[in-house]
Amino acid sequence: MSRTLGVLISGRGSNLQAILNAIAEGSLDARVGVVVSNKAEAQGLERAAKAGVQAVVLPHKDYDSREAFDEAVLARLKEYDVDVVCLAGFMRLLSPVLVRAFPGRILNIHPSLLPAFVGLHAQRQALEYGVKVSGCTVHVVDEELDHGPILLQAPVPVEEGDTEESLSARILEQEHKLYPQAIQMVLDGEMRVDERKVVAI
Ligand code: GRF
């Protein structure tokens, strides 16, 4: 598999930054071909510019349907010959238009140990539930929210007195290590998806 990533963002872009850093340090053997943001104000766009990476803004509100938006995203990913798509804080549910165009090659990072705490505010959900360990998950994207086969997970302890901010920061540190590692795994073809499980080959 060749090694061009497309990174989809909506905001801060710290996971995009972690991917760019891992590439610069040589621990991730890939290039970011294009960053696509559905928000013009996303801070991640500045990170892309700083790294000299192409970035495109596609405001989802400009499109009549989820599918029409995904068609536009797909066209950009194809234009830049993307092999693997990385969702990095991308706040849009993908339709089958995108999921089926990149079978097994769209990854997402989520700030909980899935299948616990899907959706928004996963760290707040973890605190409210009272778990003692949370963490982060990189998984292959399917058509359900935060649901596809799990590639890698990292546990993170919940500490006495944690707030949403402090727990999020501790999890984020692990996210930044885990995501480049999982991407490299996929690029190396060290896994295949069997039913809903990712198995080593
Ligand atoms: C991360 O916590 C990620 O797990 C979740 O959204 C957040 C994105 O942060 N999907 P950033 O934009 O990468 O800084």
Side-chain angles (χ1 to χ4, degrees):
M1 192 188 288
S2 67
R3 306 176 166 277
T4 300
L5 309 178
V7 183
L8 273 45
I9 63 167
S10 299
R12 182 177 57 184
S14 72
N15 278 289
L16 165 65
Q17 191 66 60
I19 292 167
L20 292 167
N21 293 350
I23 292 170
E25 288 159 9
S27 59
L28 174 56
D29 185 15
R31 57 185 284 274
V32 177
V34 66
V35 170
V36 179
S37 174
N38 65 316
K39 300 263 187 191
E41 67 278 14
Q43 195 196 330
L45 292 168
E46 292 156 33
R47 301 179 190 269
K50 233 180 177 175
V53 166
Q54 289 289 337
V56 179
V57 177
L58 297 174
H60 61 274
K61 289 185 180 135
D62 290 358
Y63 299 86
D64 288 342
S65 65
R66 200 176 286 286
E67 288 73 19
F69 172 68
D70 281 5
E71 290 285 4
V73 174
L74 180 58
R76 294 314 177 107
L77 297 173
K78 285 192 167 158
E79 182 185 336
Y80 288 94
D81 287 324
V82 165
D83 300 297
V84 172
V85 181
C86 305
L87 309 186
F90 185 61
M91 304 301 283
R92 305 291 304 163
L93 245 186
L94 301 196
S95 75
V97 167
L98 265 177
V99 176
R100 291 182 191 165
F102 288 91
R105 291 185 292 133
I106 307 180
L107 315 183
N108 181 41
I109 185 149
H110 183 74
S112 76
L113 294 177
L114 291 173
F117 312 130
V118 302
L120 291 175
H121 308 299
Q123 304 93 331
R124 190 192 304 169
Q125 292 184 54
L127 285 173
E128 283 171 359
Y129 197 94
V131 294
K132 302 296 180 194
V133 179
S134 191
C136 49
T137 303
V138 180
H139 67 95
V140 176
V141 170
D142 64 11
E143 286 163 34
E144 273 180 61
L145 179 67
D146 300 327
H147 174 267
I150 290 173
L151 280 162
L152 288 178
Q153 292 186 301
V156 173
V158 177
E159 289 172 6
E160 200 64 37
D162 253 340
T163 60
E164 190 178 355
E165 290 67 34
S166 63
L167 179 60
S168 299
R170 196 173 317 113
I171 293 174
L172 197 62
E173 240 180 81
Q174 295 306 313
E175 292 186 38
H176 294 163
K177 294 182 194 158
L178 200 69
Y179 211 179
Q181 237 178 296
I183 296 165
Q184 188 64 60
M185 238 174 89
V186 170
L187 294 175
D188 288 345
E190 285 171 358
M191 41 62 78
R192 71 187 160 78
V193 177
D194 184 5
E195 297 286 317
R196 65 154 287 110
K197 288 200 194 109
V198 172
V199 291
I201 48 174

